[in-house]
Amino acid sequence: MVERESREGTMEDVDAVTREVLTASRLLVAVSARSLSAVEDRVTLPQFRMLVVLSTRGATKLVALADLLRVAPSTAMRMVDRLIAAGLADRQVNPGNRRETLLRLTTEGRRTVEEVTARRRTEIAVIVERLSPDKRRVLIDALAAFNEAGAEPSAPAAGTEPSPLGWE
């Protein structure tokens, strides 16, 4: 009987956490949409996600990029073509295997990611500042565990340079 109660309590915990994460995700999507407002004429939210993946992973093959974004390679190719036309990404031959093409950010693409991320960071900081220091510490631990479980790499600390975009 104790085991059943424990299992039910666990399912209630999962549901409660899921509800709170869904609520937080609505808030974060709104913050994301507002942070993209200055570049929305050139970049959609899915395209921005692609730019972020390229900024964190460096030069990447199309198939790997599609897999990371969980889209079909043809969808990724259309997104890449639009980003290239906007001057935010480019294709280069892989120096390690000349038969492969790698996709990477241009200087303008990197600048776009940095600007949008800075706007997002500022808006999130305003929200976080409303929390007590104790709640901030709890949130840090909870979100770090959540991000790790979802295999999402950490965002760079404020004021740090983004990692160089070398060949992967």
Side-chain angles (χ1 to χ4, degrees):
M1 183 78 162
V2 172
E3 184 178 322
R4 182 175 176 202
E5 288 175 10
S6 174
R7 199 172 343 152
E8 288 175 1
T10 301
M11 290 311 295
E12 289 173 10
D13 290 349
V14 168
D15 186 52
V17 170
T18 301
R19 279 194 324 268
E20 293 304 322
V21 169
L22 284 170
T23 302
S25 72
R26 282 196 319 258
L27 173 60
L28 292 171
V29 166
V31 168
S32 295
R34 287 190 296 269
S35 70
L36 278 170
S37 64
V39 295
E40 68 187 350
D41 59 324
R42 293 182 6 184
V43 181
T44 65
L45 188 56
Q47 290 168 343
F48 183 73
R49 176 69 179 148
M50 180 178 276
L51 292 175
V52 169
V53 168
L54 289 172
S55 75
T56 58
R57 307 244 339 157
T60 306
K61 294 188 293 184
L62 178 69
V63 174
L65 188 57
D67 188 49
L68 288 165
L69 295 171
R70 295 188 173 119
V71 299
S74 60
T75 300
M77 180 57 88
R78 284 190 299 275
M79 290 170 67
V80 165
D81 288 343
R82 289 183 187 114
L83 293 174
I84 290 171
L88 302 173
D90 68 11
R91 293 181 182 93
Q92 289 202 341
V93 173
N94 182 349
N97 181 348
R98 306 219 30 98
R99 292 178 293 169
E100 290 179 348
T101 300
L102 297 174
L103 307 164
R104 68 179 191 156
L105 290 183
T106 61
T107 301
E108 180 66 15
R110 186 176 304 116
R111 187 188 62 73
T112 299
V113 169
E114 290 168 358
E115 286 179 6
V116 171
T117 301
R119 281 193 296 277
R120 187 176 297 167
R121 181 183 298 276
T122 298
E123 190 167 346
I124 290 171
V126 168
I127 295 166
V128 171
E129 287 172 353
R130 295 178 189 144
L131 299 172
S132 70
D134 288 341
K135 287 185 179 180
R136 289 181 200 162
R137 282 188 286 279
V138 169
L139 187 58
I140 290 167
D141 292 341
L143 289 174
F146 184 78
N147 293 336
E148 184 178 327
E152 186 67 22
S154 293
T160 61
E161 289 295 316
S163 59
L165 301 177
W167 298 106
E168 276 196 354

